[in-house]
Amino acid sequence: MTVEATAGQAVRTQPKIESELLKSRVGAAMWFLLPMLAALAVVAGWPLLRTIYFSLTNASLTNLYEAEFVGFKNYLSWTTLKSGRTVFSGLLVDPAWWNAVGNTLRFAVISVTLETVLGMVVALVLNAEFKGRGIVRAAILIPWAIPTIVSAKMWSWMLNDQFGIINDLFMKLGLISHKIAWTASADTAMTAVLIVDIWKTTPFMALLILAGLQMIPKDIYEAAEIDGVHPVKVFFKVTLPLVRPALMVAVIFRLLDAMRIFDLIYVLTPNSAATKTMSVISRENLFDFDKFAYGSAQSTFLFLMIAVMTGLYIWLGKVRFDGGDR
Amino acid sequence: MTLDLWHITKRVAFYALVIFIVVVSIFPFYYAILTSFKSGTDLFRVSYWPTSLSLDNYISVLTTGSFPRNFLNSVFVASVTVLAALFLAVTASFALSRVRFRGRGLLLMTILAVSMFPQIAVLAGLFEVIRFLGIYNTPWALIFSYTIFTLPFTVWVLTTFMRDLPIEIEEAAIVDGATPWIIIWRVFLPLLWPALVTTGLLAFIAAWNEFLFALTFTSSNLTRTVPVAIALLSGGSQFEIPWGNIMAASVIVTVPLVVLVLIFQRKIISGLTAGGVKG
């Protein structure tokens, strides 16, 4: 927030008019904000509260309005059998749910890590001066521009076990000895999802990191070169610390995005337990299995998880979203 | 001599990396185009270079089924969403960027938080609201729900842009007695055009690509948008996936985006880095 606009500077000599002007300005600002705030309340605030409420009821898709309040039963409930054994049920003891949590975390950590490393490589390449830089920048924008569903379909064709070009290419290069059912087999389904996601989102990462790189003054590098510092050392001692603010913001954006992944997995590896994420399983319960309340509990859980994660990240990493040290 | 050799090796390695990045980036799209022009058994023969130029898939996608209708739905939904978001965002960003009031920082953070929302968290509640409004299975359900990500994004980016406009322009207008409303529409808007095009374009791409809401809030072939139509495009049985048609449809929806992105390259990159939001 570099420029602070106040009417005061315009009419500094007349203090009374200044405060009146300022007042009317703030008043107008409130009216300007109102439509946007109302819209956000209706599409985000209220639905979120309703989802949390539904998670505490026994609502079903066909019976939204006569749902009864059941407390935390969807999260955890228990009954004691005659034999004295206590049986727990609910979200917190549901193995399918924890499988989805594990899948989501694994996907988020691996994809964001690899995207950051590869994004850094691409950004460093684009930051160098060479002939054809414009072409490379244009080329990496293509994966970003392609709709996720389209990329999922394109890749699922390329990864097809019998007619896919990836198997053909890998066989020709001698990397694999037999054709792999990338998306169908439980062992490789997650790899397939990771490949497509990394392909699609590394450009975004690269562009954000590149913006950070371009803000580093050139004379630092000149000084390092004159002093004969090894390029690898320059990268770790100069580039990385200076690009850190931009990197931190890019990572959090990607992490939040990865935690809520839905479309790629829904299309690329449908019904595979090896890749089912929290968003996929929640929607399944909400709309396919008619367990509306249970699905609401799952999405509420995801929301809370993401909220806590974001809070911790911003607090621990001291991230500044307003451009920080720029 | 050894130094020269080292220099050459480095250059070669660098350009090899560059070529690798370019090939990996564009190959899947190239292969989709290649596949879309194949028909019959040709489809199931792997080839790396164009071998045939059959328009069968395109003809089939455009004449049978509801794809043209889905395409129009996507255009309508994305355009109206963007216009609505820009209209609401211009006034709001003016307030957020040029007027100092208490709680402004907190408000900006809240708006950013909304744009980072997991969409699944509002799905159940939005479903209820949409049913209540009676817009389930209409384009309005999508226009309504897409506001959750287009509005925060446009507000955030336009606020960043507007903050950097020089204060002198505004001072002159205030001295002339202009109200904030007039300042926005007469003074700022003409200067904001480039920013509006950028944000509008990014919001358009986001709305064009959205899948979860479109899948949940529409239920018939005629109201679906393109991503859902492509995801659900199927053949006679589960084992007859119409790859040719899927690739043709994919190319049709992607080409306009790729052309737009390549034309507005610089603007898009500046918008992306200002907003820091994935489209």
Side-chain angles (χ1 to χ4, degrees):
Chain A
M1 299 180 198
T2 44
V3 181
E4 295 292 351
T6 50
Q9 282 153 305
V11 279
R12 202 170 288 126
T13 45
Q14 296 150 289
K16 190 152 180 267
I17 296 177
E18 176 198 295
S19 73
E20 251 169 50
L21 246 174
L22 208 65
K23 227 189 213 164
S24 81
R25 230 174 126 77
V26 172
M30 292 305 126
W31 282 108
F32 288 162
L33 284 172
L34 208 62
M36 185 226 18
L37 291 176
L40 285 184
V42 176
V43 296
W46 174 251
L48 178 68
L49 292 178
R50 287 301 285 176
T51 303
I52 296 172
Y53 168 74
F54 280 132
S55 80
L56 303 173
T57 67
N58 61 0
S60 71
L61 204 51
T62 45
N63 190 16
L64 281 184
Y65 292 104
E66 277 130 66
E68 284 165 30
F69 187 81
V70 296
F72 288 95
K73 254 192 176 149
N74 289 313
Y75 295 91
L76 189 68
S77 66
W78 56 85
T79 43
T80 312
L81 298 178
K82 274 182 195 144
S83 59
R85 238 180 82 222
T86 312
V87 179
F88 290 94
S89 62
L91 188 61
L92 295 175
V93 289
D94 181 355
W97 170 248
W98 289 110
N99 174 49
V101 174
N103 284 341
T104 311
L105 290 175
R106 191 155 4 111
F107 169 79
V109 169
I110 300 176
S111 71
V112 174
T113 308
L114 290 176
E115 279 156 27
T116 310
V117 174
L118 294 174
M120 181 61 98
V121 172
V122 176
L124 286 172
V125 167
L126 282 175
N127 201 34
E129 264 163 50
F130 64 95
K131 247 189 216 142
R133 184 163 66 161
I135 296 170
V136 182
R137 202 178 45 200
I140 66 159
L141 272 174
I142 288 177
W144 173 82
I146 293 177
T148 310
I149 298 305
V150 170
S151 29
K153 281 290 180 192
M154 274 172 13
W155 278 92
S156 90
W157 173 233
M158 286 170 59
L159 292 166
N160 188 289
D161 49 347
Q162 288 176 61
F163 314 112
I165 195 166
I166 299 287
N167 274 342
D168 187 77
L169 183 69
F170 282 9
M171 297 271 271
K172 275 186 184 143
L173 293 174
L175 292 173
I176 52 174
S177 54
H178 59 273
K179 291 186 170 176
I180 295 175
W182 291 95
T183 54
S185 144
D187 302 329
T188 51
M190 186 54 100
T191 313
V193 170
L194 284 168
I195 290 174
V196 183
D197 191 72
I198 290 167
W199 175 78
K200 170 129 180 70
T201 39
T202 298
F204 169 76
M205 206 68 173
L207 290 175
L208 284 192
I209 297 174
L210 181 64
L213 284 178
Q214 282 171 342
M215 261 174 291
I216 301 175
K218 290 271 177 287
D219 38 349
I220 297 184
Y221 290 109
E222 281 160 22
E225 207 177 328
I226 291 166
D227 291 345
V229 185
H230 194 270
V232 175
K233 200 173 172 190
V234 172
F235 175 77
F236 283 104
K237 296 277 169 186
V238 177
T239 310
L240 212 51
L242 285 175
V243 86
R244 204 189 86 106
L247 199 62
M248 291 293 277
V249 172
V251 166
I252 185 72
F253 278 128
R254 274 303 306 142
L255 209 56
L256 294 178
D257 216 44
M259 289 293 292
R260 62 184 176 185
I261 184 168
F262 173 81
D263 35 11
L264 175 59
I265 287 170
Y266 184 89
V267 172
L268 192 67
T269 58
N271 301 319
S272 168
T275 57
K276 201 164 273 182
T277 57
M278 291 193 266
S279 284
V280 175
I281 204 168
S282 306
R283 190 190 175 278
E284 214 171 63
N285 280 314
L286 280 170
F287 295 104
D288 298 340
F289 298 161
D290 199 17
K291 294 204 269 182
F292 200 79
Y294 195 59
S296 298
Q298 294 182 320
S299 33
T300 305
F301 192 103
L302 173 62
F303 172 74
L304 291 177
M305 235 174 111
I306 289 185
V308 169
M309 250 177 55
T310 315
L312 278 179
Y313 188 91
I314 292 175
W315 181 53
L316 291 175
K318 297 189 178 65
V319 181
R320 295 186 57 187
F321 287 99
D322 52 6
D325 310 341
R326 277 175 215 176
Chain B
M1 272 318 271
T2 49
L3 196 75
D4 257 10
L5 201 66
W6 172 233
H7 201 75
I8 290 168
T9 324
K10 252 176 35 179
R11 278 220 84 56
V12 169
F14 181 79
Y15 272 101
L17 181 63
V18 166
I19 288 167
F20 180 76
I21 292 171
V22 172
V23 169
V24 170
S25 301
I26 62 179
F27 186 79
F29 188 48
Y30 159 81
Y31 193 63
I33 297 174
L34 206 77
T35 309
S36 70
F37 285 116
K38 288 181 180 179
S39 66
T41 52
D42 238 14
L43 207 56
F44 301 105
R45 227 168 288 134
V46 175
S47 59
Y48 295 78
W49 303 105
T51 49
S52 59
L53 198 79
S54 147
L55 290 173
D56 288 2
N57 294 320
Y58 288 92
I59 292 164
S60 140
V61 157
L62 291 174
T63 54
T64 58
S66 53
F67 185 77
R69 179 64 196 261
N70 301 136
F71 193 87
L72 291 180
N73 286 343
S74 275
V75 172
F76 178 72
V77 168
S79 312
V80 176
T81 308
V82 168
L83 289 178
L86 285 179
F87 182 76
L88 289 173
V90 167
T91 47
S93 328
F94 173 82
L96 285 167
S97 62
R98 316 289 299 191
V99 183
R100 196 203 294 258
F101 57 88
R102 212 188 295 166
R104 184 172 69 170
L106 187 71
L107 198 58
L108 268 169
M109 283 315 288
T110 314
I111 291 165
L112 186 67
V114 173
S115 78
M116 287 285 98
F117 244 47
Q119 287 175 14
I120 192 84
V122 292
L123 199 64
L126 260 182
F127 179 73
E128 190 199 17
V129 173
I130 281 169
R131 287 272 290 265
F132 174 78
L133 294 174
I135 52 175
Y136 179 75
N137 200 22
T138 67
W140 299 107
L142 303 184
I143 292 165
F144 177 76
S145 54
Y146 287 3
T147 309
I148 195 175
F149 57 87
T150 51
L151 187 55
F153 168 73
T154 39
V155 168
W156 183 260
V157 180
L158 285 181
T159 302
T160 322
F161 272 107
M162 257 197 237
R163 213 156 46 193
D164 298 338
L165 291 177
I167 192 171
E168 286 78 12
I169 313 167
E170 214 183 336
E171 284 175 355
I174 291 171
V175 170
D176 288 349
T179 60
W181 183 254
I182 290 176
I183 294 177
I184 292 179
W185 297 106
R186 294 282 171 76
V187 181
F188 275 152
L189 209 58
L191 297 171
L192 271 180
W193 271 117
L196 287 178
V197 171
T198 311
T199 23
L201 202 63
L202 288 169
F204 186 91
I205 292 174
W208 182 268
N209 294 353
E210 203 284 332
F211 182 66
L212 178 59
F213 288 161
L215 179 73
T216 310
F217 301 141
T218 59
S219 61
S220 71
N221 273 334
L222 287 179
T223 46
R224 277 181 191 135
T225 55
V226 159
V228 185
I230 289 179
L232 302 181
L233 209 59
S234 55
S237 78
Q238 201 198 330
F239 302 102
E240 281 174 56
I241 301 170
W243 287 112
N245 286 2
I246 291 175
M247 290 305 139
S250 300
V251 172
I252 294 172
V253 298
T254 310
V255 164
L257 285 190
V258 169
V259 170
L260 276 179
V261 167
L262 293 185
I263 292 174
F264 292 101
Q265 237 191 89
R266 278 174 191 284
K267 282 193 179 306
I268 284 182
I269 291 174
S270 70
L272 265 184
T273 45
V277 176
K278 191 189 152 212

